[in-house]
């Protein structure tokens, strides 16, 4: 039996970098790793603006089988190379049980995508690793189902779980999903899990990402997972919701301002 109440935060990602502590963290990078040059350009920008964690998908859960599916192992290698060049940590998604050892080898945090939130064998597999796990909320899942999914991971011994609100499906069609800020506040107040928000998938629109990021931090989020691309119009996935690198200073400045209003710092 797992007692989620005994799970403590913050989670230390390195001896001097924690999530769920006083500082809010930015996890940023491309939706998909497309090439070395593209990923390096994003990593350089993240580093120069004080970011510590590079995101990037190598195994992509795409709604259409005809869309770009990711570079796989090559994508993980690119991520690791460029992250090491700039001293960044890496977060990347394991799409299936078979990817878990590979992602655990190359990444510092394993992401479980929204579509996989109730893929129990995958939850068990990441629960057996010693890597922090970012568990995205299923886009049709209740908060109780989400916490039950976290308990599946914890049941295999890994309690380093970060929850990520990435928007849920509602009747609204003007935005890709609907950011559930209630969920952020509720998780924050009633559980010990660090909770971050993904304003990119929550809105699906680059012009709404900053507003959704501000709202998430004001609701108590411990961090943000944000998609960035050197040329969003040419992105192989999620270009519409990806911020250009030029938006990073504003994202950082606004995050710092909201964090400060909440009595927190930002990294
Ligand atoms: C992603 O982070 O690029 C992704 C596929 O997200 P989600 O699982 O939230 O759709
Ligand atoms: Mn994406």
């Amino acid at each position: 039996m797992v007692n989620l109440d005994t799970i403590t935060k913050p989670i230390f990602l390195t001896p001097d970098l924690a999530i769920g502590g006083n500082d809010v963290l930015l996890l940023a990078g491309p939706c998909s790793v497309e090439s070395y040059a593209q990923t390096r350009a994003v990593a350089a920008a993240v580093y120069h603006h004080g970011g510590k964690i590079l995101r990037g998908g190598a195994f992509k859960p795409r709604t259409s089988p005809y869309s770009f599916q990711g570079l796989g192992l090559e994508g993980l290698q690119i991520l690791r190379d460029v992250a090491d060049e700039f001293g960044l940590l890496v977060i990347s998604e394991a799409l299936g049980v078979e990817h878990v050892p590979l992602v655990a080898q190359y990444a510092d945090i394993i992401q479980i995508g929204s579509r996989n939130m109730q893929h129990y064998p995958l939850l068990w597999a990441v629960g057996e690793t010693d890597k922090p796990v970012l568990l995205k909320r299923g886009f049709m899942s209740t908060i109780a189902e989400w916490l039950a999914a976290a308990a599946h991971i914890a049941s295999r011994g890994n309690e380093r779980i970060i929850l990520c609100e990435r928007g849920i499906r509602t009747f609204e069609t003007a935005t890709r999903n609907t950011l559930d800020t209630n969920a952020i506040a509720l998780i924050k107040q009633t559980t010990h899990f660090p909770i971050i928000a993904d304003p990119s998938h929550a809105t699906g629109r680059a012009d709404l990402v900053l507003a959704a990021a501000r709202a998430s931090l004001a609701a108590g989020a411990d961090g943000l997972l944000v998609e960035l691309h050197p040329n969003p119009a040419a992105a192989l996935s999620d270009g519409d919701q990806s911020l250009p690198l030029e938006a990073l200073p504003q994202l950082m400045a606004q995050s710092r301002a909201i964090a400060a209003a909440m009595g927190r710092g930002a990294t």
Side-chain angles (χ1 to χ4, degrees):
M1 203 34 201
V2 197
N3 181 359
L4 296 184
D5 291 338
T6 64
I7 291 177
T8 52
K9 60 177 188 181
I11 293 175
F12 281 88
L13 303 170
T14 69
D16 4 88
L17 186 67
I19 189 155
N22 192 58
D23 279 12
V24 303
L25 296 193
L26 177 69
L27 298 76
C31 176
S32 299
V33 176
E34 299 170 6
S35 69
Y36 183 86
Q38 169 244 16
T39 309
R40 189 180 181 282
V42 179
V46 169
Y47 170 76
H48 287 302
H49 291 93
K52 300 275 189 285
I53 307 175
L54 179 67
R55 68 146 282 153
F59 300 102
K60 294 304 302 177
R62 305 307 303 284
T63 302
S64 166
Y66 307 110
S67 303
F68 177 60
Q69 303 294 309
L71 294 181
L73 174 59
E74 186 193 349
L76 290 174
Q77 289 167 334
I78 291 172
L79 270 174
R80 189 73 266 165
D81 277 4
V82 303
D84 285 348
E85 179 182 347
F86 295 104
L88 302 172
L89 298 181
V90 165
I91 172 166
S92 197
E93 177 166 352
L95 192 55
V97 174
E98 67 278 23
H99 302 141
V100 171
L102 264 187
V103 177
Q105 184 186 337
Y106 286 93
D108 303 290
I109 306 171
I110 306 175
Q111 177 172 323
I112 301 297
S114 183
R115 292 159 189 77
N116 271 326
M117 189 204 82
Q118 288 178 310
H119 181 169
Y120 300 114
L122 181 58
L123 302 180
W124 302 330
V126 295
E128 280 166 13
T129 71
D130 60 0
K131 296 282 174 172
V133 176
L134 181 93
L135 179 65
K136 286 193 151 197
R137 181 182 184 180
F139 58 84
M140 298 286 279
S141 299
T142 65
I143 293 169
E145 288 163 344
W146 190 13
L147 293 174
H152 271 277
I153 298 172
S155 75
R156 298 300 170 110
N158 188 353
E159 296 188 345
R160 298 208 294 162
I161 303 162
I162 304 153
L163 299 177
C164 178
E165 161 61 34
R166 48 78 75 203
I168 51 173
R169 183 166 285 178
T170 67
F171 56 80
E172 184 54 73
T173 56
T175 52
R176 183 175 180 184
N177 290 290
T178 295
L179 175 67
D180 186 0
T181 44
N182 292 352
I184 297 171
L186 188 69
I187 295 281
K188 181 84 177 174
Q189 288 173 27
T190 62
T191 82
H192 298 277
F193 292 112
I195 168 80
I196 72 165
D198 173 345
S200 308
H201 291 86
T203 60
R205 295 174 48 141
D207 60 349
L208 296 178
V209 167
L210 283 176
R214 295 193 301 266
S216 301
L217 294 177
D222 295 305
L224 299 170
L225 182 69
V226 177
E227 290 186 340
L228 296 175
H229 198 284
N231 179 6
L236 296 183
S237 63
D238 287 348
D240 291 347
Q241 67 193 36
S242 297
L243 291 178
L245 303 183
E246 298 71 40
L248 252 184
Q250 219 185 348
L251 174 67
M252 287 307 229
Q254 295 189 4
S255 298
R256 286 206 177 95
I258 304 282
M262 308 285 297
R264 309 181 77 173
T267 306

